[in-house]
Amino acid sequence: MLRSDLKKANKLKIYTYPDPVLRQKARPVEEVDDEIRQLARDMLYTMYEAPGIGLAANQVGELRRIIVFDRNPRENGKAPCVLINPEIIEAEGQVTTEEACLSVVDFCADVKRKARVRVKGLDLDGNEIHLDAEGLLAVCLQHEIDHLDGILFIDHLSALKRALYKKKLKKKLKKSSLD
Ligand code: GNR
Ligand code: NI
């Protein structure tokens, strides 16, 4: 968990689909050092600026297993959190939520996920922590951990819905290259 100053943070570039970095698997962090702490701080800053409720390292081009998120995604009070090497250790129930992603521009769709999860990982001091989540936070954690494995929310859709998105994106990319 991080509550330290976000002042010295840098805004990072967010990579978007179909960039190959989003399809790669991030590798575990072996030591939580100052470089990792700085990256986490930059990721939180980038997330709040976007704005988003979560962000995974792949999205800023870093293949390390780090996610950041806000613990109260529906409220205004900021509750920035960091989890290093996060793993889902228990999951139950089912919930469908309309998801969006900072790396999948101009698209949202209903995704079915586990309703409640227990996640473990390391904090910025390298200590193991456990987190029980439900609601939007549980969905966000599953979405972020998917990113670390190269999975995007569109992968959970039917082939037809995914094809519709690709078609829309192609049109948009073609248009922007003409502008
Ligand atoms: O900001 C985000 N909102 C969101 C809404 C519903 C389900 C998941 C998310 S995560 C997303 C930010 C993002 O892309 N994180 O990877
Ligand atoms: Ni995302």
Side-chain angles (χ1 to χ4, degrees):
M1 312 283 156
L2 183 83
R3 242 175 215 294
S4 59
D5 52 326
L6 301 175
K7 279 173 231 149
K8 291 167 287 179
N10 308 297
K11 192 167 171 178
L12 306 171
K13 176 188 161 183
I14 297 179
Y15 290 74
T16 57
Y17 179 85
D19 195 292
V21 76
L22 299 170
R23 289 313 195 179
Q24 282 172 276
K25 208 171 148 80
R27 61 182 186 282
V29 171
E30 280 173 20
E31 193 191 345
V32 182
D33 56 15
D34 283 345
E35 191 217 334
I36 295 295
R37 282 185 277 270
Q38 182 65 50
L39 175 58
R41 187 174 294 154
D42 290 346
M43 284 171 63
L44 274 171
Y45 182 71
T46 305
M47 177 188 89
Y48 284 120
E49 285 285 302
I53 61 169
L55 193 70
N58 302 46
Q59 293 180 277
V60 295
E62 294 282 348
L63 291 171
R64 259 79 74 84
R65 299 190 80 81
I66 305 169
I67 63 171
V68 300
F69 52 95
D70 194 286
R71 211 183 213 290
N72 302 95
R74 288 201 202 274
E75 289 163 34
N76 287 331
K78 283 185 186 175
C81 288
V82 177
L83 266 184
I84 295 161
N85 301 339
E87 279 176 56
I88 295 170
I89 52 175
E90 274 179 56
E92 59 169 31
Q94 214 174 66
V95 69
T96 299
T97 312
E98 185 171 72
E99 295 196 20
C101 180
L102 295 170
S103 296
V104 180
V105 293
D106 296 334
F107 189 63
C108 54
D110 280 347
V111 178
K112 197 158 79 178
R113 296 199 189 260
K114 298 294 184 184
R116 288 170 293 283
V117 293
R118 172 169 288 172
V119 178
K120 75 165 185 181
L122 303 177
D123 68 12
L124 287 179
D125 297 317
N127 297 318
E128 187 170 303
I129 50 173
H130 289 238
L131 181 64
D132 287 309
E134 58 178 12
L136 188 57
L137 180 59
V139 169
C140 176
L141 287 166
Q142 292 168 80
H143 176 117
E144 303 314 335
I145 293 171
D146 264 1
H147 273 303
L148 300 180
D149 292 321
I151 298 166
L152 300 172
F153 83 89
I154 51 174
D155 300 334
H156 293 288
L157 307 179
S158 67
L160 177 66
K161 276 197 189 143
R162 198 163 46 246
L164 281 173
Y165 175 63
K166 287 184 187 169
K167 199 169 150 190
K168 183 178 162 181
L169 184 70
K170 259 188 207 144
K171 221 183 218 172
K172 189 187 136 109
L173 292 175
K174 205 162 154 189
K175 191 164 170 277
S176 68
S177 71
L178 296 175
D179 294 341

